[in-house]
């Protein structure tokens, strides 16, 4: 049986718009990023045909293969996976955004490697908002200093913060880390940065993320079904 991607997309957009209304967010203030890792180029093409514009990939080689297959599609590619040092050039050359910058060195490499013919690479700093030792991301305490440095890099445009909190099933617990990230975001703006992006919320917690100020939700399973 083939998946009805148009219906899946409409259902996710309806969840986003319901949450915007319910939590007094402006209409269309939350962008949908389709997290397409492990899903084939056909599925991306079907969602794009249904109107989806932004796609997020986690693995560079997989992403480059799909981009090659989908060259004629007008879509925007976002990198959302862990960024190893040997992947920065490919990301700088092929993506519009990188959400998962978690080291200053990575930001410096992305800036140095961003081709002159492209607009600056949009980046978010990933924050380890739960302070889990095993996790990627800057500590909250170091984000302000890093953000000032990254904002000054010539070939990057610092857009905001990203986090992947530990899964929680009840709404109030889902909200807590998102609220902390939003406070951090607001504090950075009060200190003079011009951030406009909070990249938070996945299939199971997008309502909580929108309640706490998400401007972009990264949705995989609810659009594509389970990953193999
Ligand atoms: C896979 C992934 C998502 C989407 O997760 P779902 O729970 O399938 O919606 C979002 N963000 C990142 C960074 C991911 O790797």
């Amino acid at each position: 049986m083939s998946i009805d991607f148009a219906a899946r997309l409409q259902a996710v957009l309806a969840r986003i718009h319901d949450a915007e209304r319910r939590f007094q967010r402006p209409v269309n203030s939350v962008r949908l990023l389709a997290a397409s890792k492990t899903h084939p180029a056909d599925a991306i093409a079907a969602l794009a045909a249904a109107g989806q514009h932004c796609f997020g990939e986690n693995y560079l080689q997989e992403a480059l293969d799909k981009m090659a297959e989908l060259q004629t599609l007008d879509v925007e590619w976002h990198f959302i996976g862990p960024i190893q040092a040997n992947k920065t050039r490919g990301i700088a050359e092929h993506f519009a955004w990188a959400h998962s910058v978690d080291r200053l060195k990575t930001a410096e490499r992305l800036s140095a490697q961003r081709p002159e013919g492209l607009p600056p690479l949009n980046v978010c700093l990933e924050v380890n908002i739960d302070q889990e030792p095993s996790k990627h991301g800057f500590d909250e305490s170091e984000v302000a200093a890093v953000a000032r440095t990254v904002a000054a890099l010539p070939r990057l445009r610092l857009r905001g913060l990203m986090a992947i909190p530990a899964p929680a099933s009840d709404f109030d617990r889902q909200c807590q880390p998102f609220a902390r990230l939003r406070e951090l975001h607001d504090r950075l703006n009060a200190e003079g940065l011009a951030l406009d992006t909070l990249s938070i919320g996945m299939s199971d917690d997008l309502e909580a993320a929108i309640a706490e100020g998400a401007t972009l939700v990264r949705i995989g399973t609810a659009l594509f079904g389970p990953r193999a």
Side-chain angles (χ1 to χ4, degrees):
M1 221 192 69
S2 68
I3 300 173
D4 185 347
F5 285 105
R8 291 258 180 92
L9 178 59
Q10 288 319 308
V12 170
L13 290 172
R15 278 177 70 186
I16 292 171
H17 294 141
D18 284 349
E20 285 175 344
R21 262 194 303 279
R22 194 141 47 97
F23 302 110
Q24 284 97 46
R25 298 286 312 280
V27 175
N28 293 326
S29 55
V30 181
R31 269 215 291 173
L32 172 59
L33 177 69
S36 44
K37 62 174 176 279
T38 79
H39 299 292
D42 296 2
I44 293 174
L47 262 188
Q52 176 60 25
H53 185 60
C54 302
F55 291 85
E57 289 283 339
N58 293 57
Y59 310 106
L60 180 62
Q61 191 53 52
E62 178 191 332
L64 295 180
D65 291 345
K66 291 184 209 172
M67 286 176 186
E69 274 190 73
L70 298 169
Q71 267 176 40
T72 57
L73 275 193
D74 176 28
V75 297
E76 186 175 87
W77 295 101
H78 295 226
F79 196 85
I80 63 175
I83 304 177
Q84 292 149 316
N86 63 350
K87 300 298 191 309
T88 53
R89 182 174 298 280
I91 294 167
E93 290 178 350
H94 295 280
F95 286 80
W97 283 68
H99 291 237
S100 38
V101 173
D102 66 351
R103 289 158 179 259
L104 187 52
K105 190 83 211 155
T106 300
E108 289 168 347
R109 290 173 66 98
L110 289 169
S111 180
Q113 294 169 339
R114 182 69 167 172
E116 282 301 329
L118 294 178
L121 179 69
N122 297 292
V123 299
C124 294
L125 301 180
E126 182 170 353
V127 181
N128 185 353
I129 199 73
D130 294 322
Q131 291 166 303
E132 288 184 67
S134 61
K135 270 231 196 135
H136 294 279
F138 293 103
D139 287 342
E140 275 182 79
S141 61
E142 60 185 344
V143 173
V146 172
R148 281 191 292 274
T149 307
V150 172
L153 291 171
R155 301 293 296 137
L156 302 186
R157 184 167 167 215
L158 179 62
R159 299 296 295 264
L161 305 178
M162 179 269 218
I164 311 173
S169 48
D170 80 273
F171 182 81
D172 291 340
R173 288 234 198 107
Q174 289 177 347
C175 286
Q176 288 163 16
F178 292 147
R180 279 212 306 285
L181 195 74
R182 192 208 44 226
E183 283 160 21
L184 180 57
H185 175 273
D186 292 351
R187 224 179 308 139
L188 295 176
N189 277 343
E191 290 170 11
L193 291 166
L195 308 183
D196 64 6
T197 301
L198 264 181
S199 172
I200 46 176
M202 315 202 319
S203 293
D204 291 333
D205 58 13
L206 75 87
E207 284 82 3
I210 291 172
E212 297 300 340
T215 64
L216 181 151
V217 292
R218 307 177 311 267
I219 307 300
T221 308
L223 289 170
F224 293 101
R227 288 179 287 275

